[in-house]
Amino acid sequence: MSLDITKITNFFCFNTNDLVINNDSFADFFQFCNYPCQRLSLFVNDDTLLDENTVYRIDCKKALKVTIVFDTNKKILFPDLTLCRNLQSFIYSGVNTLCTYNFRQHQYLNEIAIRAPLTFLYKYCFQENKMLESVIFQEIVKPSILWEPLQGLKQLKSLFLLDCSIKTISKNLYFPALRILN
């Protein structure tokens, strides 16, 4: 059961389009997280608010841009975004986060930035992302997991691979729209 958080506005700082969650309202957000915002920003830097090895489910069905920053020493699992169907932009930072996520359900996604240790990518995780133009990965634990999932991204214009220890690039890769490679 979810409750309508628009009726309990004292927990949140938001207007009609934006929902900003910080440490003060974090616990309440995961109880009442169905606000129909366009932009969701979630910032958590207090370890007492997070449970280790817990997946936090985000249920903002209309959210177009989601920014999540977990600045914590605990091991946090990648957030569950399956209910964010309209997601267009996803920016994520997690100091000790374990990332293994499949983005196939987000067909409108055009920007993704993950600044957290990436341990695994599903082979077809970007298969439905025909509009994905910008990808930023920081700290891929095993660079070999990267090339096969990226192969189908024909609209990719910028690819940033930061601190990924990449030694070789697959010969089969072809990005006709690529303009920036870092």
Side-chain angles (χ1 to χ4, degrees), residues 30-42:
F30 285 102
Q31 294 174 20
F32 314 107
C33 61
N34 62 336
Y35 182 70
C37 59
Q38 288 185 355
R39 289 179 297 273
L40 165 66
S41 300
L42 175 61

Side-chain angles (χ1 to χ4, degrees), residues 110-164:
N110 62 26
E111 172 191 26
I112 182 170
I114 298 179
R115 294 179 174 94
L118 195 63
T119 56
F120 180 77
L121 271 178
Y122 291 96
K123 182 177 179 179
Y124 301 110
C125 71
F126 297 119
Q127 188 174 27
E128 305 299 323
N129 305 120
K130 305 297 184 209
M131 298 164 47
L132 193 57
E133 295 182 355
S134 175
V135 173
I136 299 172
F137 288 134
Q138 183 172 343
E139 195 179 344
I140 296 179
V141 177
K142 295 179 184 175
S144 60
I145 67 172
L146 179 67
W147 305 124
E148 199 165 9
L150 291 179
Q151 279 182 357
L153 298 178
K154 302 303 180 204
Q155 298 299 321
L156 191 63
K157 293 180 180 174
S158 64
L159 177 60
F160 289 81
L161 304 171
L162 312 171
D163 300 324
C164 292

Side-chain angles (χ1 to χ4, degrees), residues 5-182:
I5 67 168
T6 59
K7 294 183 172 64
I8 51 169
T9 58
N10 58 319
F11 289 138
F12 301 99
C13 164
F14 62 82
N15 61 36
T16 56
N17 291 322
D18 303 314
L19 179 57
V20 178
I21 309 296
N22 55 29
N23 290 343
D24 298 332
S25 55
F26 176 78
D28 299 314
F29 171 70
F30 285 102
Q31 294 174 20
F32 314 107
C33 61
N34 62 336
Y35 182 70
C37 59
Q38 288 185 355
R39 289 179 297 273
L40 165 66
S41 300
L42 175 61
F43 302 97
V44 182
N45 61 9
D46 183 350
D47 274 354
T48 62
L49 300 174
L50 297 167
D51 294 325
E52 202 161 40
N53 295 318
T54 299
V55 175
Y56 289 95
R57 185 174 196 154
I58 296 173
D59 178 6
C60 287
K61 293 173 181 64
K62 293 185 180 180
L64 302 178
K65 180 171 184 175
V66 175
T67 302
I68 302 173
V69 177
F70 284 164
D71 185 13
T72 172
N73 291 321
K74 290 185 178 179
K75 293 258 187 253
I76 303 301
L77 301 177
F78 202 73
D80 183 350
L81 301 167
T82 53
L83 296 174
C84 297
R85 296 281 185 203
N86 297 315
L87 191 63
Q88 293 177 6
S89 174
F90 180 60
I91 300 167
Y92 181 77
S93 178
V95 176
N96 282 321
T97 305
L98 300 175
C99 294
T100 61
Y101 197 76
N102 189 346
F103 291 94
R104 289 178 71 180
Q105 298 161 339
H106 307 294
Q107 62 184 12
Y108 305 111
L109 197 63
N110 62 26
E111 172 191 26
I112 182 170
I114 298 179
R115 294 179 174 94
L118 195 63
T119 56
F120 180 77
L121 271 178
Y122 291 96
K123 182 177 179 179
Y124 301 110
C125 71
F126 297 119
Q127 188 174 27
E128 305 299 323
N129 305 120
K130 305 297 184 209
M131 298 164 47
L132 193 57
E133 295 182 355
S134 175
V135 173
I136 299 172
F137 288 134
Q138 183 172 343
E139 195 179 344
I140 296 179
V141 177
K142 295 179 184 175
S144 60
I145 67 172
L146 179 67
W147 305 124
E148 199 165 9
L150 291 179
Q151 279 182 357
L153 298 178
K154 302 303 180 204
Q155 298 299 321
L156 191 63
K157 293 180 180 174
S158 64
L159 177 60
F160 289 81
L161 304 171
L162 312 171
D163 300 324
C164 292
S165 304
I166 294 173
K167 294 180 176 47
T168 61
I169 296 177
S170 174
K171 294 178 184 178
N172 300 335
L173 287 181
Y174 176 61
F175 303 114
L178 192 65
R179 301 290 175 260
I180 302 170
L181 175 62
N182 186 342

